[in-house]
Amino acid sequence: MAENCTVSDPTDPANGQKDVYVQLVLSLALGVSAFVAFCILRPKWKGLYAARKTQSDAASFLPDLPDTFFGWMPVLYKVTEQEVLASAGLDAFVFLAFFKMSIKLFGIMFLLTCAIIVPINFHFDHLLTPGDSRPRNDTKPPEIFPAFSSWDVDAESKDETDKAYTTSYLWAYLVFTYFFTGLALYFITQETQRIIKIRQDYLGSQSTITDRTIKLSGIPKELRSEDKIKEFLEKLEIGKVESVTICRDWSRLDGLMERRAYTLRRLEEAWTEHLGQSKTKQNQPPQESQSNAQDDNEDSINPEHSNLLGESHITPYDKPRPNTRIWYGFLGLQSKKIDAIDYYEEQLRKVDELVIAGRSKIYRPTPLAFVTMDSIPACQMAVQALLDPEPMQLMANLAPAPSDIVWQNTYLPRSSRMVRSWTITIFILLLTLFWLVPVAGLAGLLNICSIRQVWKGLADTLESHPILSALVKTGLPTLVVSLLNVAVPYLYDYMANMQGMISQGDVELSVISKNFYFTFFNVFLVFTVFGTASKFWPVLQESFRDTTVIAFKLAESVNSLGFFYINFILLQSVGLFPFRLLEFGTMTLYPIMLMMSKTPRDYAELVQPPIFKYGFYLPSAILVWILCMVYSVLPAGYMVLFVGLIYFVFGYYTYKYQLLYAMDHPQHATGKAWPMICYRLLVGLGVFQLVMAGVIALNKAFYPAALVVPLIPFTIWYSYYFGRTYEPLTKFIALRSIRREPHADVNIADEYVGMHTPPGNVRRHSTTLDEDREKGLKFINPSLTAPLEKIWINKGSESNGEASELDRQESAASSVSLGDTHIWRDNGEENV
């Protein structure tokens, strides 16, 4: 049955143009509806769409966005890079710089492609079936750009010599492969130099505890004490040591704090259930009167009575107190109901005693310590030097920010972290093989013949309904691939957190790497080279015998999948970016989370800004960048570049809005994602050169194909050059960049562009975002010093009993945002 199937040429514009129109209509329907919904809801739901602006001090100086339908757009456009740097920090600045660089690069490439390459491609009409020696002169250019629609070929009027196969146009392919490679490397280099200058000036002009702290690992047993480490480092004459924190095995204390947090939440739920239906007097926080404040002071001295709401077993409320079921006896088979408030208060009192006792104990030291030097130059010299002649011993690295440390992983043995890392890596490799099944299935949907082999009736139906066929062949695969790109990062984020990394910044960089591996290997290479699962093993076995097979298969498939990737980028940009702006996931989950929320603490967490994770969004953007490069010279290149340009423009302003106004990014990576971005862009350049060599060779032009090959080792050499020349400056602070004087009088956010002056002379009036974040922080496990929170209940007036449950929940959520709820701490301070 399959041999009777007529295979339509996927490179023929007539076969792909209808698919693009269908995808455009579908994307516009999704995107426009989501964008209109966002413009309507934005002024009404400021707690969601302006969460960072209203709750973050760093974003408070940003210009207010008007409440009009489109009025926010020009204001967002006018927000400068200086304001992005000052408000959102280096990580956001680097992320948006990648999008801005891509807009410039692909804008230039698109104009050059339309002006030169498109006429060349149409003139030589070289859309060939692999192995065919004759050009097909019956193919018309796509009508997506009407400027090229008037071109036509009268095959009968052509001279016989014009019909002879020619490969002269392939020399133009060679020239533009070199030119676009050089243009991409130029933009990468220029942007890298600019980011390095800004980063050096930004970090060199600030003074935080992180900038002065090193992470010292591989500490031998004889040096595992604060005094010995301090003595050892000061003998090296690097600088004075201000403080040393040896990471100890605090796992038991961490477990107690987790148990306490769980018990505290259960107690708050019990009190909320008890007070929520009260129609008499409202329980008041102890800060309301002087006597209550004195009781708080006594409680802080006597931990036995801390965290209790006075005589909580005596209640003026009419409603019965809530109960909870406990299990006891042999194997916990017996149970009974007891008073929930009394039970959880007693459990909280017991765990508080254990925490207080545990904080006074001495725990086993580990080979890891955080050492704070007295100056930034001393810290930078330590991390850029070898401290010990023994391998893997006394290794100094830059320390993460105190709030960024995953303390539970600091006292994991190195062997345990290595086992976790290798286990996760092996699991991801196995998972990659698993993804072959759904990805190969999606690739099969692109061809009616493949569908006919599985479901003949569906194939017949699709052949008789062109629009339905376009939806199934193009809309469905692009939608499923896009959904995979949304869902898979959550799995890889979970696995990255299980690897035992020391900081959340390292976890996020790992997520970027893992998700790019998925998108590049499964969505691009497997989808393009192997097509369906039935082709995977034959192609793989053949590639072992001949290493050029992959290049030829890639070249053959890339041309046939041009319209698929056009539709994929179109859906990502026009269709899905407005949904990201709408925060569709958060918006749809909000009513569910609202119904599940019970206590004021739950409602306060509900209105916190969502977390922006670069590892979820950056890999897809890099994949689109690679696709634009790969297709830039090919016949479908001008369309891929056009939709790619739309993608980066829409992405830039979508992420700019979210990073500045709507979402928060608590990690502290200081722009270290930039070298990761550059290395993956260089991989894309290598794929572009490999594809062009294959495409030219398939058309029997072996001399220009051979001349493309030198670009591949050149790109590899540039990656080593980049690593030796630029990458150290994206990790460390140059000593010349460090501010020498203790006081500053020039604002870095306003003056960073003028880098002609020596960086050490730049000063600023205000603190940076990192200095604000780290004010008062120390490298100490919070389990040792964090205040033991008291219960958090609503201070507002009681419901009159006539409001519905939903009204009561919304009122509670509103009271949180208005400051009508309080958290009580042992120090007697009241924090909203």
Side-chain angles (χ1 to χ4, degrees), residues 720-732:
Y720 284 101
Y721 170 78
F722 182 90
R724 295 175 62 89
T725 306
Y726 298 117
E727 188 174 4
L729 291 170
T730 64
K731 292 183 178 179
F732 308 114

Side-chain angles (χ1 to χ4, degrees), residues 311-371:
E311 299 295 330
S312 58
H313 61 280
I314 302 175
T315 174
Y317 299 97
D318 299 331
K319 182 183 176 182
R321 290 160 66 92
N323 293 325
T324 186
R325 183 177 296 275
I326 63 171
W327 297 85
Y328 63 96
F330 179 71
L331 298 178
L333 297 178
Q334 294 178 281
S335 67
K336 65 177 180 180
K337 287 186 177 181
I338 62 173
D339 185 278
I341 295 176
D342 287 343
Y343 173 74
Y344 287 120
E345 283 184 346
E346 179 62 18
Q347 293 297 313
L348 190 62
R349 184 189 63 81
K350 290 180 179 179
V351 75
D352 280 353
E353 291 179 351
L354 294 175
V355 169
I356 293 172
R359 287 179 171 180
S360 62
K361 292 182 179 180
I362 303 297
Y363 295 90
R364 176 182 61 84
T366 68
L368 182 68
F370 294 103
V371 182

Side-chain angles (χ1 to χ4, degrees), residues 211-341:
D211 296 325
R212 295 184 290 111
T213 303
I214 64 175
K215 182 185 71 175
L216 193 64
S217 57
I219 303 173
K221 291 184 178 179
E222 61 271 15
L223 289 180
R224 293 180 189 176
S225 72
E226 284 79 359
D227 293 336
K228 290 181 179 179
I229 292 176
K230 181 177 181 181
E231 181 183 0
F232 163 75
L233 288 175
E234 290 185 344
K235 281 184 178 180
L236 298 178
E237 298 183 354
I238 297 176
K240 296 294 183 181
V241 176
E242 185 176 289
S243 64
V244 178
T245 299
I246 291 185
C247 297
R248 301 176 181 271
D249 188 2
W250 293 301
S251 55
R252 173 174 170 77
L253 186 59
D254 292 337
L256 289 173
M257 292 298 290
E258 291 177 1
R259 176 181 164 189
R260 186 186 189 280
Y262 172 82
T263 305
L264 184 64
R265 282 186 175 272
R266 300 291 82 75
L267 180 58
E268 288 174 347
E269 290 175 3
W271 269 110
T272 301
E273 181 181 352
H274 183 48
L275 300 178
Q277 299 297 329
S278 172
K279 301 178 181 62
T280 57
K281 78 173 187 178
Q282 166 75 25
N283 191 32
Q284 299 293 332
Q287 289 84 356
E288 290 296 311
S289 64
Q290 184 176 359
S291 60
N292 284 337
Q294 293 174 354
D295 292 341
D296 271 355
N297 293 333
E298 293 176 1
D299 287 344
S300 63
I301 299 174
N302 185 2
E304 183 176 354
H305 297 287
S306 65
N307 305 297
L308 304 183
L309 289 176
E311 299 295 330
S312 58
H313 61 280
I314 302 175
T315 174
Y317 299 97
D318 299 331
K319 182 183 176 182
R321 290 160 66 92
N323 293 325
T324 186
R325 183 177 296 275
I326 63 171
W327 297 85
Y328 63 96
F330 179 71
L331 298 178
L333 297 178
Q334 294 178 281
S335 67
K336 65 177 180 180
K337 287 186 177 181
I338 62 173
D339 185 278
I341 295 176

Side-chain angles (χ1 to χ4, degrees), residues 307-569:
N307 305 297
L308 304 183
L309 289 176
E311 299 295 330
S312 58
H313 61 280
I314 302 175
T315 174
Y317 299 97
D318 299 331
K319 182 183 176 182
R321 290 160 66 92
N323 293 325
T324 186
R325 183 177 296 275
I326 63 171
W327 297 85
Y328 63 96
F330 179 71
L331 298 178
L333 297 178
Q334 294 178 281
S335 67
K336 65 177 180 180
K337 287 186 177 181
I338 62 173
D339 185 278
I341 295 176
D342 287 343
Y343 173 74
Y344 287 120
E345 283 184 346
E346 179 62 18
Q347 293 297 313
L348 190 62
R349 184 189 63 81
K350 290 180 179 179
V351 75
D352 280 353
E353 291 179 351
L354 294 175
V355 169
I356 293 172
R359 287 179 171 180
S360 62
K361 292 182 179 180
I362 303 297
Y363 295 90
R364 176 182 61 84
T366 68
L368 182 68
F370 294 103
V371 182
T372 302
M373 309 298 291
D374 66 336
S375 66
I376 299 177
C379 173
Q380 290 297 316
M381 286 188 287
V383 298
Q384 299 180 46
L386 296 175
L387 303 184
D388 196 89
E390 291 292 328
M392 306 297 290
Q393 184 168 290
L394 292 173
M395 297 177 295
N397 294 285
L398 292 170
S403 59
D404 206 29
I405 297 175
V406 184
W407 287 97
Q408 290 81 354
N409 295 336
T410 58
Y411 35 86
L412 280 177
R414 179 184 296 168
S415 58
S416 177
R417 287 199 295 268
M418 292 181 63
V419 169
R420 288 190 181 194
S421 179
W422 280 106
T423 302
I424 295 297
T425 301
I426 294 173
F427 181 76
I428 289 177
L429 292 176
L430 295 176
L431 196 60
T432 300
L433 298 178
F434 167 78
W435 291 126
L436 290 175
V437 178
V439 171
L442 289 173
L445 290 176
L446 298 176
N447 194 314
I448 292 292
C449 294
S450 300
I451 298 175
R452 187 179 298 279
Q453 293 177 6
V454 180
W455 191 349
K456 182 178 181 300
L458 177 61
D460 294 337
T461 303
L462 295 179
E463 285 184 340
S464 59
H465 297 82
I467 295 180
L468 181 61
S469 175
L471 284 173
V472 172
K473 291 193 302 178
T474 303
L476 183 61
T478 54
L479 182 61
V480 175
V481 169
S482 299
L483 293 177
L484 276 177
N485 282 341
V486 172
V488 169
Y490 287 95
L491 174 61
Y492 285 168
D493 180 67
Y494 171 77
M495 289 191 292
N497 279 279
M498 296 298 293
Q499 283 188 271
M501 296 181 182
I502 300 298
S503 72
Q504 286 296 332
D506 292 338
V507 170
E508 187 164 53
L509 294 177
S510 177
V511 174
I512 294 174
S513 178
K514 289 177 173 60
N515 286 332
F516 173 78
Y517 176 75
F518 166 77
T519 57
F520 178 72
F521 184 80
N522 290 97
V523 177
F524 179 68
L525 286 184
V526 173
F527 208 91
T528 304
V529 178
F530 303 108
T532 61
S534 61
K535 297 180 181 179
F536 176 76
W537 291 115
V539 172
L540 193 61
Q541 291 173 356
E542 192 177 354
S543 65
F544 288 147
R545 295 191 297 268
D546 184 359
T547 55
T548 62
V549 168
I550 293 293
F552 285 116
K553 291 293 182 182
L554 189 61
E556 288 177 2
S557 301
V558 158
N559 223 14
S560 65
L561 289 173
F563 285 105
F564 168 77
Y565 285 122
I566 290 171
N567 296 328
F568 172 75
I569 301 173

Side-chain angles (χ1 to χ4, degrees), residues 735-791:
L735 298 182
R736 185 170 175 261
S737 299
I738 298 172
R739 182 186 62 195
R740 301 297 177 179
E741 291 80 4
H743 300 289
D745 54 12
V746 175
N747 194 327
I748 182 67
D750 296 330
E751 302 293 336
Y752 81 88
V753 178
M755 293 300 298
H756 57 278
T757 58
N761 295 334
V762 177
R763 304 292 178 263
R764 52 191 166 75
H765 288 294
S766 61
T767 60
T768 65
L769 177 65
D770 296 332
E771 287 176 322
D772 286 336
R773 285 176 175 176
E774 299 179 29
K775 189 177 297 182
L777 295 181
K778 296 182 179 179
F779 283 87
I780 299 177
N781 189 343
S783 298
L784 293 170
T785 59
L788 301 181
E789 295 180 352
K790 294 187 177 181
I791 68 169

